[in-house]
Amino acid sequence: MTVAPTGAESSKADVPQLPTTLDELVETAQRCETAGAAMIHVHIRDDDHRPTLDVTRLTDTVAALRENTTLVVQLSSGGSVHDPLEKRLQVLDAAPDSCSLTMGTVNFGDDVFSNPWGFITELYQLSQEREVVPEFELFDLGHVHALHRLLASYGLPYGGRVHCDLVMNVPGGMPGTADALVAAVNALPDEVTSWSATGIGRSTLTVALAALAKGGHLRVGMEDVLTLARGVPVEHNDQLVSRAVELGRLAQREPMTPTEARDLLQTRPAA
Ligand code: KMH
Ligand code: ZN
């Protein structure tokens, strides 16, 4: 189970319970680990709670999460739709266990989340060099196709495992339906060793249930959904983790521990 607690899209003014400071992020990470998360997908904010890719801040964040949790630390290389590609490559300077790596450009609501092929291949090769395990973010079936091309051209990731996350229901990407999930999973390259799925907004439960039924892992968090039900705001990310754990238990699936997740992903051993 991955928790994506913050994202880059919601503002602190609109969602005061969003963890945007380092203290809030660490507290969230601890509570989500207790609730059953094994990995954290991290976007950070500046002193004004705006998205930032400042490398010093990212490095401090990785250190604080390592000090206070055993979670696998995954930094977002996606940032916000406004971040330049060069800044997004620098995320690896903060030496996380894992980084997200989106497999293509996608319309993102009224914006464009830009991931040209040259950027994808540069980030991928950098992740191999720096021994950072990528999580391939797949927003559309075309991104699955691009993953075949990447693996054929540049070989396996650091650690030899191939882990993907289906990000569904972004306006511009694939819909958050069971049918779309099955189509995407059936098209994954044979090299894929594990995958998770997350459904944005209202599709969160549909996607989680479909992923469990199809044997996948789950990502949840306030990056992806801000309500538990219509008109019921999420007060803390651990509510989403606990609910996903409960869904898993109904499906007789136990959440992995961070140690098991490290083994699954073959992340770099601690220095
Ligand atoms: N914030 C989105 C534009 C990622 O973290 O790699 C991109 C995103 C994907 O969240
Ligand atoms: Zn993200």
Side-chain angles (χ1 to χ4, degrees), residues 190-213:
D190 290 342
E191 293 92 333
V192 170
T193 47
S194 59
W195 60 273
S196 60
T198 185
I200 306 301
R202 239 181 263 169
S203 73
T204 185
L205 287 169
T206 301
V207 168
L209 291 166
L212 285 169

Side-chain angles (χ1 to χ4, degrees), residues 7-9 41 43 76-81 100-102 108 113 137 139 219 223:
E9 282 70 42
H41 169 84
H43 290 254
S76 166
S77 73
S80 91
V81 288
S100 58
L101 199 170
T102 296
F108 200 85
F113 179 30
E137 309 296 337
F139 289 68
R219 170 176 129 172
E223 174 166 344

Side-chain angles (χ1 to χ4, degrees), residues 23-249:
D23 284 350
E24 287 168 347
L25 183 66
V26 167
E27 187 267 354
T28 294
Q30 288 173 320
R31 278 175 60 176
C32 289
E33 181 173 4
T34 303
M39 175 148 76
I40 185 162
H41 169 84
V42 178
H43 290 254
I44 62 164
R45 302 291 178 101
D46 64 16
D47 288 340
D48 297 321
H49 309 282
R50 285 187 303 239
T52 177
L53 291 178
D54 179 80
V55 174
T56 307
R57 253 178 207 264
L58 284 169
T59 306
D60 292 347
T61 302
V62 171
L65 290 169
R66 290 217 172 105
E67 230 165 81
N68 292 287
T69 76
T70 66
L71 293 169
V72 178
V73 179
Q74 177 183 93
L75 291 182
S76 166
S77 73
S80 91
V81 288
H82 308 293
D83 286 317
L85 301 177
E86 316 81 70
K87 290 286 281 182
R88 290 171 52 194
L89 289 170
Q90 286 168 14
V91 165
L92 294 198
D93 293 349
D97 300 309
S98 172
C99 68
S100 58
L101 199 170
T102 296
M103 286 307 302
T105 295
V106 63
N107 281 321
F108 200 85
D110 295 340
D111 296 302
V112 175
F113 179 30
S114 184
N115 295 282
W117 180 248
F119 170 72
I120 291 172
T121 58
E122 197 176 341
L123 179 57
Y124 187 49
Q125 291 174 95
L126 198 59
S127 74
Q128 289 170 317
E129 229 176 270
R130 302 280 180 90
E131 305 186 338
V132 174
V133 173
E135 174 182 275
F136 299 104
E137 309 296 337
L138 309 172
F139 289 68
D140 217 338
L141 209 49
H143 295 187
V144 180
H145 190 55
L147 180 58
H148 283 262
R149 181 181 175 203
L150 186 76
L151 296 173
S153 307
Y154 294 92
L156 292 175
Y158 168 73
R161 304 289 169 85
V162 181
H163 179 70
C164 306
D165 181 47
L166 305 176
V167 186
M168 308 185 67
N169 217 40
V170 165
M174 64 184 146
T177 61
D179 286 344
L181 182 136
V182 169
V185 171
N186 286 345
L188 290 174
D190 290 342
E191 293 92 333
V192 170
T193 47
S194 59
W195 60 273
S196 60
T198 185
I200 306 301
R202 239 181 263 169
S203 73
T204 185
L205 287 169
T206 301
V207 168
L209 291 166
L212 285 169
K214 198 70 182 137
H217 300 270
L218 303 180
R219 170 176 129 172
V220 294
M222 292 175 73
E223 174 166 344
D224 301 337
V225 65
L226 294 168
T227 54
L228 292 167
R230 193 189 294 267
V232 184
V234 178
E235 296 299 343
H236 196 284
N237 276 281
D238 70 353
Q239 292 174 295
L240 292 168
V241 175
S242 297
R243 182 170 72 172
V245 167
E246 209 178 304
L247 292 178
R249 292 228 160 100

